[in-house]
Amino acid sequence: MTRGTSPTRPPRGAIHAVTRAMAVDLGPRGVRVNTIAPGWIASDLSEGNLDSLGDPDRVAARLTTLHPVGRVGTPQDIGDVAVFLASDRAGFLSGETTVVDGACTVKLSNPAD
């Protein structure tokens, strides 16, 4: 487990469970329920976090290598998924959590990295 993340794990799991339960409960009323699980998104908050880590340029470069798509996310990436989920094109999609992280969470870590 990543140091300092244990307090966020139970709430994240609860959000996924509530999403699925709400989708079942509200589906008969025509309501679709989905969540977005963003990865590292470039923002004022994340930049401030980088600045607190001593060598922000080195850490930013390392973050980029952790993402198979070769970059960190942007607010636009999250917005695009939200627009899709709200559209009729996602009309049969409900009860799902869409992970938007450039495949970071599915990449196997190399112990040599």
Side-chain angles (χ1 to χ4, degrees):
M1 183 174 297
T2 304
R3 182 175 45 108
T5 63
S6 57
T8 66
R9 302 236 185 242
R12 287 180 190 169
I15 289 170
H16 300 318
V18 168
T19 298
R20 295 173 69 129
M22 288 178 67
V24 170
D25 289 347
L26 299 174
R29 298 182 193 164
V31 176
R32 293 179 289 117
V33 181
N34 295 291
T35 56
I36 298 171
W40 189 277
I41 304 300
S43 66
D44 292 341
L45 180 64
S46 63
E47 294 304 313
N49 190 7
L50 285 179
D51 290 342
S52 73
L53 297 176
D55 186 352
D57 292 334
R58 183 186 65 77
V59 175
R62 174 74 175 121
L63 273 172
T64 299
T65 65
L66 292 175
H67 293 82
V69 299
R71 66 178 179 85
V72 297
T74 66
Q76 183 70 47
D77 293 321
I78 304 305
D80 289 346
V81 172
V83 168
F84 169 72
L85 289 172
S87 76
D88 290 339
R89 295 184 68 192
F92 199 60
L93 183 62
S94 191
E96 294 298 325
T97 297
T98 302
V99 178
V100 183
D101 72 351
C104 186
T105 55
V106 296
K107 177 183 176 185
L108 292 176
S109 296
N110 181 345
D113 288 343

